[in-house]
Amino acid sequence: MYAEKVLSGMRPTGRLHLGHYHGVLANWIKLQHEYPCLFFVADWHALTTAYDEPGTIAQNTWDMVIDWLAAGVDPSQATLFVQSRVPEHAELNLLMSMMTPLGWLERVPTYKDQQEKLTHKDLATYGFLGYPLLQAADILIYRANRVPVGEDQVPHIEFTREIARRFNHLYGREPGFEDKAKESIKKLGSKRAKLYEELRTRYQEKGEESALEQAHVLLDEAQNLSHGDHERLFGYLEGGGKMILVEPDAMLTEASRMPGLDGQKMSKSYGNTITLREDAESIRKKIRTMQTDPQRVRRTDAGDPEKCPVWQFHLIYSNDEVRGWVQEGCRSAGIGCIECKQPVIDAVLAEQEPMRERARMYEEDPQLVRNIIADGCEKARKLAQETMRDVREAIGLDYT
Ligand code: TRP
Ligand code: SF4
């Protein structure tokens, strides 16, 4: 009844490259078949560092969304939307800011790291300090259970969990909570109710995590519970009040193994990328002029694939047979580097063919993309509004 929800966001950085594809996007594309997914453009987050270059956001957003669609993110499976079109994120951010200790924000490692890295910008701003809280609002407003992110984002998910816990602790207690919880337990039916009480005792008295997990499963399987009863019983397990906001788990995205053309990590700032809808001729040229083993100066010199960025591409794109051919041919000077690169060129072009095909449709008719996002925003907004109703009520802002 309560399927786990996946949510993730990306700041609009413009055209995406193969590194994004083999890391984040391939993962999203897999997840969209396994869970209800929400994927969004974090345009407000982009403003935390690009507040002085507002003109870039729109183009970067549309370019990025077309890349998502081109790569195979499917709007009939996942909900795609833009953060700034769901203003409820800002309301939740504001309300949570009232109970967020400054020290928690200052301790988030990305805060100092980014300030030190982006020295050309004044990042001593309120918005930048609040970056993780806005991210927490993005996640909590959808009661998302799982958040696929790279390793660098894990502290933000940890922070989100702490905020959710603090919020529930402060606002989750309703008057007469114990009595209400007892009433809710009755609705489980006598057999389940007894098991629930046992599991709760085992968790509270002995701290058995497995009992907590079992109780969560029990609640998820209880088909006849209302949302309110369900949440109350979730909260009661841990002794607190109602669980208004849900603590999410990070789902670590494996770092992309995609190297750049020079063997360093593929990144726009290193100028070593192949973008997702790049012109075929440009791709051929980039790979043909790619660095190889520096020891292999002449065609007759033997080389070592381990010292060559092209080999890294073979590890992603080639089967065992081709890899064997590279290893043998390189080490014996049996093949030339241009020859060696050809299967990589073919594979990258083949991978991009369906992407270019899908992208063409959206490039020719940008209204299609606008419509997909408008639909997604509407769906997201409904979910966000439901949570906000509960949040306002919990804080006591639902008065007339
Ligand atoms: N901070 C994330 C990044 O830079 C982007 C982001 C914003 C995000 N809100 C989010 C990711 C919510 C996951 C969930 O990659
Ligand atoms: Fe690199 Fe292939 Fe040339 Fe060997 S033959 S140096 S692996 S490009």
Side-chain angles (χ1 to χ4, degrees):
M1 180 159 58
Y2 296 94
E4 297 224 303
K5 248 182 280 175
V6 165
L7 169 128
S8 198
M10 239 189 246
R11 277 170 299 159
T13 48
R15 291 284 185 109
L16 302 180
H17 54 63
L18 288 179
H20 296 114
Y21 178 69
H22 286 275
V24 182
L25 288 178
N27 191 39
W28 284 13
I29 291 162
K30 178 168 76 78
L31 289 170
Q32 69 187 355
H33 303 294
E34 300 169 356
Y35 299 92
C37 288
L38 294 146
F39 298 129
F40 73 98
V41 181
D43 56 349
W44 280 337
H45 276 105
L47 278 179
T48 62
T49 52
Y51 56 83
D52 54 352
E53 35 185 329
T56 55
I57 303 249
Q59 189 62 44
N60 283 349
T61 293
W62 297 123
D63 281 345
M64 187 169 83
V65 173
I66 291 181
D67 280 336
W68 291 359
L69 296 166
V73 178
D74 179 355
S76 70
Q77 308 243 23
T79 304
L80 310 183
F81 68 99
V82 171
Q83 183 186 38
S84 64
R85 303 273 183 91
V86 187
E88 285 78 6
H89 289 223
E91 185 183 353
L92 183 58
N93 178 65
L94 173 97
L95 293 176
M96 295 195 307
S97 76
M98 307 301 172
M99 43 138 265
T100 301
L102 268 183
W104 289 18
L105 287 166
E106 286 159 350
R107 269 199 302 276
V108 175
T110 42
Y111 178 58
K112 285 225 162 60
D113 290 357
Q114 289 289 94
Q115 274 189 335
E116 279 163 21
K117 250 204 216 146
L118 305 173
T119 43
H120 59 285
K121 247 191 202 152
D122 180 8
L123 292 182
T125 60
Y126 177 50
F128 187 70
L129 177 66
Y131 186 113
L133 188 64
L134 182 57
Q135 183 162 352
D138 297 338
I139 298 167
L140 296 173
I141 204 160
Y142 299 105
R143 298 187 162 120
N145 312 86
R146 290 165 177 266
V147 186
V149 285
E151 195 148 20
D152 62 314
Q153 294 291 310
V154 171
H156 291 174
I157 309 305
E158 216 23 71
F159 173 83
T160 302
R161 295 171 60 88
E162 280 163 17
I163 292 290
R165 222 172 291 147
R166 183 166 166 85
F167 187 98
N168 290 335
H169 177 73
L170 282 170
Y171 305 118
R173 278 198 181 275
E174 335 160 73
F177 177 72
E178 291 272 330
D179 291 342
K180 283 190 184 160
K182 298 233 163 74
E183 283 305 308
S184 303
I185 292 174
K186 282 192 197 142
K187 295 185 193 155
L188 287 169
S190 59
K191 226 171 117 191
R192 277 218 175 90
K194 190 159 161 258
L195 182 56
Y196 174 89
E197 304 250 40
E198 271 171 31
L199 292 169
R200 178 171 182 268
T201 310
R202 268 172 50 203
Y203 176 66
Q204 294 211 335
E205 290 177 7
K206 306 194 193 113
E208 286 180 37
E209 289 289 337
S210 65
L212 183 65
E213 278 165 32
Q214 241 180 296
H216 285 173
V217 173
L218 180 147
L219 290 176
D220 285 343
E221 284 172 356
Q223 299 283 332
N224 55 338
L225 281 190
S226 71
H227 185 69
D229 284 324
H230 183 267
E231 293 306 289
R232 187 174 297 119
L233 291 181
F234 247 78
Y236 191 54
L237 282 171
E238 300 187 50
K242 225 162 80 171
M243 258 197 5
I244 301 163
L245 300 178
V246 175
E247 286 181 46
D249 285 310
M251 231 178 177
L252 207 57
T253 307
E254 236 182 276
S256 164
R257 289 181 306 126
M258 191 75 227
L261 292 163
D262 54 1
Q264 295 187 82
K265 182 181 145 86
M266 188 176 278
S267 160
K268 201 157 146 185
S269 53
Y270 297 151
N272 61 2
T273 66
I274 293 175
T275 59
L276 287 192
R277 291 175 274 145
E278 192 154 327
D279 174 66
E281 205 34 59
S282 160
I283 293 178
R284 279 193 203 99
K285 192 164 152 224
K286 280 185 178 172
I287 299 177
R288 282 206 193 109
T289 53
M290 226 178 124
Q291 289 171 31
T292 59
D293 175 2
Q295 303 285 307
R296 202 173 178 204
V297 185
R298 282 170 304 243
R299 167 70 176 77
T300 48
D301 295 336
D304 180 357
E306 300 305 325
K307 300 193 178 115
C308 176
V310 179
W311 172 243
Q312 299 301 316
F313 275 64
H314 277 294
L315 286 177
I316 289 173
Y317 287 104
S318 301
N319 59 25
D320 286 346
E321 194 191 332
V322 175
R323 289 185 198 169
W325 169 80
V326 172
Q327 284 287 346
E328 154 66 25
C330 178
R331 291 177 194 282
S332 65
I335 59 171
C337 291
I338 290 289
E339 232 174 306
C340 177
K341 288 168 171 177
Q342 194 56 45
V344 172
I345 294 176
D346 295 341
V348 173
L349 290 177
E351 180 178 67
Q352 296 218 344
E353 193 45 45
M355 295 194 211
R356 248 181 266 126
E357 195 56 43
R358 275 190 292 259
R360 193 169 310 133
M361 187 168 75
Y362 298 114
E363 285 163 348
E364 280 167 13
D365 186 359
Q367 195 53 41
L368 285 175
V369 188
R370 306 290 195 275
N371 291 345
I372 288 169
I373 291 297
D375 276 358
C377 290
E378 199 179 318
K379 281 193 203 132
R381 211 159 172 207
K382 283 222 174 78
L383 296 172
Q385 284 170 343
E386 272 172 37
T387 306
M388 283 316 293
R389 262 198 292 279
D390 294 350
V391 165
R392 290 188 207 110
E393 184 191 291
I395 301 183
L397 288 173
D398 58 335
Y399 60 85
T400 47

